[in-house]
């Protein structure tokens, strides 16, 4: 089946060839600054459980909150808005008795981001993009939650693919340009995300570009399912993502060797959006915008990145500082790896000719 190619992919690649692009920063920590009450979260939906902390539901109950955050990041210089839908899936929303609202949350979140993005594009003609954010859920396909039963899984592959497909459908309907499968702690979960996008592509008859971002759970550079950065890339390279990269994890200092390793092997764009340092004993982030900007600028100076942004603890001030720090620096040139067989266990394996 021939799919209608994505115009957004073409436009994104054109922009990325000219300069280092900027994605936005944290949503959760920005939402906390609004000091919302349970009533603010719950609105008039009448759900059976407490909604405080359900950031995704704000698209329905207090859309002015995510809208103002999108606006602040675009004003700071962002080229990409990530939808406020990290946990807007049937599995995660079950914690709030809001499973039946998943489609509506995602459609409205994408529409909101799309509207603000188009507003900023209309002002200056610079393309702005919307990435439909899909988090890892709070379940894992690779690991058992029961130490006494290693073979037990809370969900199976088909269920997770179905859960993700529901979210992908809604995000695309709302106007997302790309699907961002982010904070990947389980590579098998990420593969289910890829499968869901491929299914929706066939149903719609058009390409839906994928962005992919891994999160590291220890300083050795592995995710929770045990893959190194290189092994993760070899495991998902077949998906031909528009961008591959790292997010959350640690601050930029701890990510330095892993960004370098990925930039040397990936024949696609590199997008990295680290936390604003490591949290203090109160769980707050103290790293100042200029510090974070200086650290990520090192990657740009060394030609290792194409897209930069921030994760936990980052603010519009962090994004503005990054945009300013790298505006005169050229984007990374894609790696051109030799044609050999590359396999992924927990470690990468390359079969030499």
């Amino acid at each position: 089946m021939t799919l209608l190619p994505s115009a957004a992919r073409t436009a994104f690649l054109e922009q990325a060839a000219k300069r280092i692009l900027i994605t936005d920063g944290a949503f959760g920590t920005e939402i906390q600054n609004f000091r919302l009450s349970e009533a603010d979260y719950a609105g008039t939906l009448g759900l059976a459980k407490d909604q405080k902390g359900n950031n995704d539901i704000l698209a329905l109950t207090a859309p002015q909150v995510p809208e103002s955050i999108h606006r602040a990041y675009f004003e700071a210089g962002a080229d990409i808005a990530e939808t406020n839908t990290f946990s807007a899936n049937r599995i995660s929303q079950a914690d709030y008795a809001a499973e039946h609202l998943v489609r509506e949350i995602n459609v409205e979140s994408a529409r909101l981001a799309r509207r603000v993005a188009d507003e900023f594009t209309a002002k200056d003609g610079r393309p702005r993009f919307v990435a439909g954010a899909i988090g890892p859920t709070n379940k894992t396909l690779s690991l058992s939650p029961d130490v006494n039963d290693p073979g037990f899984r809370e969900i199976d592959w088909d269920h997770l693919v179905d859960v993700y497909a529901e979210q992908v459908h809604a995000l695309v309907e709302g106007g997302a340009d790309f699907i961002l499968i982010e904070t990947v702690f389980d590579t098998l979960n990420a593969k289910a995300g890829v499968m869901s996008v491929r299914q929706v592509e066939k149903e719609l008859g058009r390409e839906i570009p994928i962005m992919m971002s891994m999160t590291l759970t220890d300083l050795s550079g592995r995710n929770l399912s045990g893959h190194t950065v290189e092994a993760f890339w070899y495991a998902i390279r077949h998906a031909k993502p528009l961008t591959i990269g790292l997010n959350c994890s640690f601050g930029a200092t701890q990510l330095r060797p892993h960004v370098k390793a990925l930039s040397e092997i990936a024949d696609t764009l590199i997008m990295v959006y680290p936390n604003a340092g490591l949290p203090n004993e109160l769980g707050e982030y103290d790293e100042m915008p200029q510090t974070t900007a200086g650290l990520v600028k090192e990657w740009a100076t060394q030609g290792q990145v194409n897209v930069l942004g921030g994760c936990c603890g980052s603010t519009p001030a962090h994004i503005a500082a990054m945009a300013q720090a790298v505006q005169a620096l050229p984007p990374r040139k894609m790696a051109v790896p030799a044609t050999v067989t590359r396999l992924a266990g927990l470690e990468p394996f390359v079969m030499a000719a």
Side-chain angles (χ1 to χ4, degrees), residues 286-341:
D286 300 322
E287 189 169 279
M288 299 302 291
Q290 293 303 325
T291 301
T292 306
L295 292 170
V296 302
K297 183 180 179 180
E298 293 179 18
W299 302 334
T301 302
Q302 294 168 17
Q304 296 173 350
V305 290
N306 302 98
V307 188
L308 285 170
C311 203
C312 302
S314 60
T315 67
H318 287 81
I319 299 307
M322 289 183 195
Q324 183 176 13
V326 304
Q327 65 180 350
L329 297 174
R332 162 187 170 268
K333 294 181 179 179
M334 290 188 201
V336 184
T339 303
V340 296
T341 300

Side-chain angles (χ1 to χ4, degrees), residues 85 87-94 98-108 110 133-134 137 158-174 179 192-193 195-201 203-204 208:
T85 52
S87 298
N89 61 77
R90 211 183 313 151
I91 293 171
S92 300
Q93 286 300 310
E99 307 99 304
H100 61 293
L101 295 174
V102 163
R103 178 185 170 279
E104 189 176 356
I105 292 170
N106 283 280
V107 169
E108 292 305 316
I134 291 184
T137 80
D158 289 341
H159 178 65
L160 187 55
V161 170
D162 184 57
V163 165
Y164 278 144
E166 179 182 27
Q167 193 175 6
V168 171
H169 257 298
L171 288 168
V172 172
E173 180 182 342
I179 295 298
M195 177 64 78
S196 74
V197 174
R198 295 294 179 253
Q199 288 186 358
V200 176
E201 281 182 326
E203 292 173 22
L204 298 180
I208 304 171

Side-chain angles (χ1 to χ4, degrees), residues 9 13 210 233 236-237 240-245 262-263 265-271 306 332-337:
R9 174 191 282 273
L13 290 173
I210 293 173
W233 169 239
I236 58 89
R237 181 173 177 258
K240 299 181 179 179
L242 177 63
T243 66
I244 181 69
L262 188 58
S263 72
I265 60 173
D267 52 348
T268 192
L269 304 177
I270 298 289
M271 180 167 80
N306 302 98
R332 162 187 170 268
K333 294 181 179 179
M334 290 188 201
V336 184

Side-chain angles (χ1 to χ4, degrees), residues 114-130:
R114 178 84 271 157
R115 184 173 68 252
V116 180
D118 291 347
E119 175 188 319
F120 275 79
T121 295
K123 289 179 180 179
D124 60 13
R126 194 177 96 214
R128 304 310 199 283
F129 303 93
V130 175

